[in-house]
Amino acid sequence: MNFEQLKPQVKSIVSNVEKTIDERLLSICELLENHIEYYNWVGFYFKNGDKEELKLGPYVGAPTDHTIIPFGKGICGQVAVSNENFVVPDVAAQENYITCSITVKSEIVIPIFINGKNIGQIDIDSHVADPFTEADERFLEFVCTEVAKLLS
């Protein structure tokens, strides 16, 4: 299934008021992980109150010990500070990478904005080296825009 085919499904999940916000976020994770072959771990991190850290939200994939990530640490922590997309084609070549699993070869992190403020991000790990393209970035920006609607 391609990105354009997934967009209406993302919108449908977001608009389903029968489910809680966390259930909808988890459904988005499941949708992406199930339909995009190289998305092997999909999850959300959100700013943890007034703290300069991220807290793990709903996700699918291997369990992680990284439930709290300080701003600036790892790829997610860097995106919390830079407010910019971060694509890592090869995690082994990244100095500030937090190792989650030896199977992870690449990562993409896209921030979520509400009223211009970075409130969290979607984080995707892949077991494939360098799979993420500009099309992934645009699609995940769309997903983050939809998630922002859900959270605002």
Side-chain angles (χ1 to χ4, degrees), residues 102-114:
I102 58 167
T103 58
V104 175
K105 304 291 184 217
S106 56
E107 182 175 12
I108 185 170
V109 179
I110 308 294
I112 302 167
F113 296 98
I114 295 180

PDB file of all heavy atoms in Angstrom, residues 102-114:
ATOM      1  N   ILE A 102      20.144  -3.943  18.069  1.00  0.00           N
ATOM      2  CA  ILE A 102      21.171  -4.145  17.039  1.00  0.00           C
ATOM      3  C   ILE A 102      20.559  -4.343  15.656  1.00  0.00           C
ATOM      4  O   ILE A 102      21.246  -4.223  14.653  1.00  0.00           O
ATOM      5  CB  ILE A 102      22.101  -5.342  17.375  1.00  0.00           C
ATOM      6  CG1 ILE A 102      21.291  -6.635  17.528  1.00  0.00           C
ATOM      7  CG2 ILE A 102      22.923  -5.062  18.616  1.00  0.00           C
ATOM      8  CD1 ILE A 102      22.142  -7.886  17.555  1.00  0.00           C
ATOM      9  N   THR A 103      19.250  -4.611  15.606  1.00  0.00           N
ATOM     10  CA  THR A 103      18.588  -4.809  14.310  1.00  0.00           C
ATOM     11  C   THR A 103      18.263  -3.485  13.619  1.00  0.00           C
ATOM     12  O   THR A 103      17.998  -3.462  12.425  1.00  0.00           O
ATOM     13  CB  THR A 103      17.296  -5.626  14.469  1.00  0.00           C
ATOM     14  OG1 THR A 103      16.436  -4.948  15.382  1.00  0.00           O
ATOM     15  CG2 THR A 103      17.586  -7.028  14.974  1.00  0.00           C
ATOM     16  N   VAL A 104      18.273  -2.375  14.360  1.00  0.00           N
ATOM     17  CA  VAL A 104      17.932  -1.074  13.779  1.00  0.00           C
ATOM     18  C   VAL A 104      19.114  -0.570  12.945  1.00  0.00           C
ATOM     19  O   VAL A 104      20.235  -0.464  13.428  1.00  0.00           O
ATOM     20  CB  VAL A 104      17.574  -0.044  14.867  1.00  0.00           C
ATOM     21  CG1 VAL A 104      17.341   1.331  14.250  1.00  0.00           C
ATOM     22  CG2 VAL A 104      16.333  -0.502  15.632  1.00  0.00           C
ATOM     23  N   LYS A 105      18.821  -0.250  11.694  1.00  0.00           N
ATOM     24  CA  LYS A 105      19.853   0.241  10.766  1.00  0.00           C
ATOM     25  C   LYS A 105      19.666   1.713  10.419  1.00  0.00           C
ATOM     26  O   LYS A 105      20.624   2.393  10.064  1.00  0.00           O
ATOM     27  CB  LYS A 105      19.836  -0.576   9.469  1.00  0.00           C
ATOM     28  CG  LYS A 105      19.996  -2.065   9.653  1.00  0.00           C
ATOM     29  CD  LYS A 105      21.371  -2.432  10.122  1.00  0.00           C
ATOM     30  CE  LYS A 105      21.525  -3.944  10.198  1.00  0.00           C
ATOM     31  NZ  LYS A 105      22.325  -4.368  11.326  1.00  0.00           N
ATOM     32  N   SER A 106      18.410   2.202  10.485  1.00  0.00           N
ATOM     33  CA  SER A 106      18.128   3.591  10.099  1.00  0.00           C
ATOM     34  C   SER A 106      16.932   4.091  10.894  1.00  0.00           C
ATOM     35  O   SER A 106      16.188   3.305  11.483  1.00  0.00           O
ATOM     36  CB  SER A 106      17.866   3.679   8.594  1.00  0.00           C
ATOM     37  OG  SER A 106      16.810   2.814   8.230  1.00  0.00           O
ATOM     38  N   GLU A 107      16.771   5.424  10.886  1.00  0.00           N
ATOM     39  CA  GLU A 107      15.709   6.035  11.680  1.00  0.00           C
ATOM     40  C   GLU A 107      15.251   7.327  11.020  1.00  0.00           C
ATOM     41  O   GLU A 107      16.042   8.014  10.365  1.00  0.00           O
ATOM     42  CB  GLU A 107      16.243   6.335  13.089  1.00  0.00           C
ATOM     43  CG  GLU A 107      15.229   6.928  14.039  1.00  0.00           C
ATOM     44  CD  GLU A 107      15.772   7.092  15.456  1.00  0.00           C
ATOM     45  OE1 GLU A 107      17.001   6.966  15.679  1.00  0.00           O
ATOM     46  OE2 GLU A 107      14.953   7.365  16.348  1.00  0.00           O
ATOM     47  N   ILE A 108      13.972   7.646  11.202  1.00  0.00           N
ATOM     48  CA  ILE A 108      13.429   8.925  10.760  1.00  0.00           C
ATOM     49  C   ILE A 108      12.556   9.469  11.893  1.00  0.00           C
ATOM     50  O   ILE A 108      11.793   8.716  12.507  1.00  0.00           O
ATOM     51  CB  ILE A 108      12.629   8.799   9.437  1.00  0.00           C
ATOM     52  CG1 ILE A 108      12.190  10.173   8.932  1.00  0.00           C
ATOM     53  CG2 ILE A 108      11.472   7.844   9.574  1.00  0.00           C
ATOM     54  CD1 ILE A 108      11.616  10.156   7.510  1.00  0.00           C
ATOM     55  N   VAL A 109      12.729  10.760  12.182  1.00  0.00           N
ATOM     56  CA  VAL A 109      11.960  11.413  13.235  1.00  0.00           C
ATOM     57  C   VAL A 109      11.395  12.711  12.669  1.00  0.00           C
ATOM     58  O   VAL A 109      12.135  13.522  12.106  1.00  0.00           O
ATOM     59  CB  VAL A 109      12.835  11.702  14.479  1.00  0.00           C
ATOM     60  CG1 VAL A 109      12.018  12.410  15.550  1.00  0.00           C
ATOM     61  CG2 VAL A 109      13.435  10.414  15.023  1.00  0.00           C
ATOM     62  N   ILE A 110      10.081  12.892  12.813  1.00  0.00           N
ATOM     63  CA  ILE A 110       9.389  14.075  12.297  1.00  0.00           C
ATOM     64  C   ILE A 110       8.647  14.741  13.454  1.00  0.00           C
ATOM     65  O   ILE A 110       7.857  14.089  14.146  1.00  0.00           O
ATOM     66  CB  ILE A 110       8.374  13.692  11.189  1.00  0.00           C
ATOM     67  CG1 ILE A 110       9.024  12.838  10.090  1.00  0.00           C
ATOM     68  CG2 ILE A 110       7.698  14.937  10.617  1.00  0.00           C
ATOM     69  CD1 ILE A 110      10.069  13.515   9.251  1.00  0.00           C
ATOM     70  N   PRO A 111       8.890  16.049  13.674  1.00  0.00           N
ATOM     71  CA  PRO A 111       8.225  16.731  14.791  1.00  0.00           C
ATOM     72  C   PRO A 111       6.739  16.987  14.532  1.00  0.00           C
ATOM     73  O   PRO A 111       6.299  17.074  13.390  1.00  0.00           O
ATOM     74  CB  PRO A 111       8.990  18.051  14.908  1.00  0.00           C
ATOM     75  CG  PRO A 111       9.599  18.280  13.567  1.00  0.00           C
ATOM     76  CD  PRO A 111       9.816  16.928  12.954  1.00  0.00           C
ATOM     77  N   ILE A 112       6.000  17.106  15.639  1.00  0.00           N
ATOM     78  CA  ILE A 112       4.577  17.431  15.617  1.00  0.00           C
ATOM     79  C   ILE A 112       4.438  18.833  16.215  1.00  0.00           C
ATOM     80  O   ILE A 112       4.918  19.089  17.318  1.00  0.00           O
ATOM     81  CB  ILE A 112       3.759  16.434  16.468  1.00  0.00           C
ATOM     82  CG1 ILE A 112       3.960  15.001  15.959  1.00  0.00           C
ATOM     83  CG2 ILE A 112       2.278  16.820  16.473  1.00  0.00           C
ATOM     84  CD1 ILE A 112       3.454  13.935  16.923  1.00  0.00           C
ATOM     85  N   PHE A 113       3.770  19.708  15.478  1.00  0.00           N
ATOM     86  CA  PHE A 113       3.599  21.088  15.931  1.00  0.00           C
ATOM     87  C   PHE A 113       2.131  21.409  16.188  1.00  0.00           C
ATOM     88  O   PHE A 113       1.267  21.021  15.405  1.00  0.00           O
ATOM     89  CB  PHE A 113       4.114  22.073  14.873  1.00  0.00           C
ATOM     90  CG  PHE A 113       5.599  21.971  14.621  1.00  0.00           C
ATOM     91  CD1 PHE A 113       6.090  21.251  13.544  1.00  0.00           C
ATOM     92  CD2 PHE A 113       6.494  22.602  15.478  1.00  0.00           C
ATOM     93  CE1 PHE A 113       7.449  21.149  13.316  1.00  0.00           C
ATOM     94  CE2 PHE A 113       7.863  22.508  15.247  1.00  0.00           C
ATOM     95  CZ  PHE A 113       8.350  21.785  14.164  1.00  0.00           C
ATOM     96  N   ILE A 114       1.891  22.124  17.285  1.00  0.00           N
ATOM     97  CA  ILE A 114       0.576  22.704  17.545  1.00  0.00           C
ATOM     98  C   ILE A 114       0.814  24.184  17.803  1.00  0.00           C
ATOM     99  O   ILE A 114       1.603  24.540  18.690  1.00  0.00           O
ATOM    100  CB  ILE A 114      -0.124  22.039  18.746  1.00  0.00           C
ATOM    101  CG1 ILE A 114      -0.437  20.574  18.424  1.00  0.00           C
ATOM    102  CG2 ILE A 114      -1.398  22.803  19.104  1.00  0.00           C
ATOM    103  CD1 ILE A 114      -1.119  19.815  19.539  1.00  0.00           C
TER     104      ILE A 114
END
